């Protein structure tokens, strides 16, 4: 995947982030690009939106516009721990022709250790159709992730 963007710090508490992403998959028929924007308050709450003019662009029978919005929360707990939450909604022509609009959500715990941010989250979707194919799998699962920002 490739992405580029820029962040504007509007105040000590508020930042705006804009950019574009291009997703690549093992199957070229799933590759697609999107533009995104987000508003973050104190690194605790983030509202974001995306638009893809040609979602899943290699498959001409279903390649259509897609939209999404999300709300993420990060609540500090004792020590370096935090409570993590996410809810998102996805809609548009693509989703109307495939699995219908759907919601995704997650909840978990985070831990900051030096320059690394660890997270363990339960991730799932709420839709009428569960996709179990490898590349677009929407089955519920636990996800362990590690992130950092460079330079340290």
């Amino acid at each position: 995947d490739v992405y580029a963007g820029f962040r504007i710090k509007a105040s000590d508490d508020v930042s705006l982030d804009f950019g574009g992403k291009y997703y690549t998959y093992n199957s070229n028929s799933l590759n697609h690009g999107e533009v995104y924007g987000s508003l973050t308050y104190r690194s605790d709450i983030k509202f974001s939106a995306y638009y893809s003019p040609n979602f899943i662009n290699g498959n001409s029978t279903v390649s259509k516009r897609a939209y999404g919005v999300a709300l993420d929360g990060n609540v500090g707990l004792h020590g370096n721990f935090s409570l993590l939450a996410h809810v998102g909604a996805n809609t548009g022509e693509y989703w109307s022709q495939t699995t219908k609009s759907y919601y995704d959500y997650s909840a978990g715990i985070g831990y900051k250790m030096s320059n690394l941010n660890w997270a363990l989250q339960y991730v799932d979707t709420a839709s009428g159709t569960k996709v179990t194919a490898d590349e677009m799998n929407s089955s519920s699962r636990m996800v362990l992730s590690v992130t950092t920002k460079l330079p340290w």
Side-chain angles (χ1 to χ4, degrees), residues 21-38:
K21 298 179 184 179
Y22 190 79
Y23 297 95
T24 57
Y25 293 89
N26 291 337
S27 169
N28 288 336
S29 66
L30 299 176
N31 296 349
H32 67 279
E34 71 182 34
V35 293
Y36 70 89
S38 67

Side-chain angles (χ1 to χ4, degrees), residues 72-87:
D72 296 278
N74 182 342
V75 179
L77 300 174
H78 182 71
N80 293 336
F81 287 94
S82 59
L83 183 62
L84 309 172
H86 163 87
V87 62

Side-chain angles (χ1 to χ4, degrees), residues 3 6 9 12 15 38 46 49-50 59 69 88 102 108 117 132:
Y3 66 94
F6 60 94
K9 190 168 183 171
D12 288 341
S15 65
S38 67
K46 177 177 163 182
Y50 81 88
N59 187 342
V69 294
Y102 78 94
N117 295 303
T132 57

Side-chain angles (χ1 to χ4, degrees), residues 14-75:
V14 176
S15 65
L16 302 165
D17 188 10
F18 301 97
K21 298 179 184 179
Y22 190 79
Y23 297 95
T24 57
Y25 293 89
N26 291 337
S27 169
N28 288 336
S29 66
L30 299 176
N31 296 349
H32 67 279
E34 71 182 34
V35 293
Y36 70 89
S38 67
L39 172 70
T40 304
Y41 177 71
R42 291 189 179 179
S43 299
D44 298 330
I45 299 172
K46 177 177 163 182
F47 173 77
S48 55
Y50 81 88
Y51 167 71
S52 179
N54 203 13
F55 194 71
I56 312 297
N57 68 15
N59 187 342
S60 61
T61 60
V62 295
S63 181
K64 301 289 181 185
R65 290 183 294 237
Y67 315 88
V69 294
L71 183 63
D72 296 278
N74 182 342
V75 179

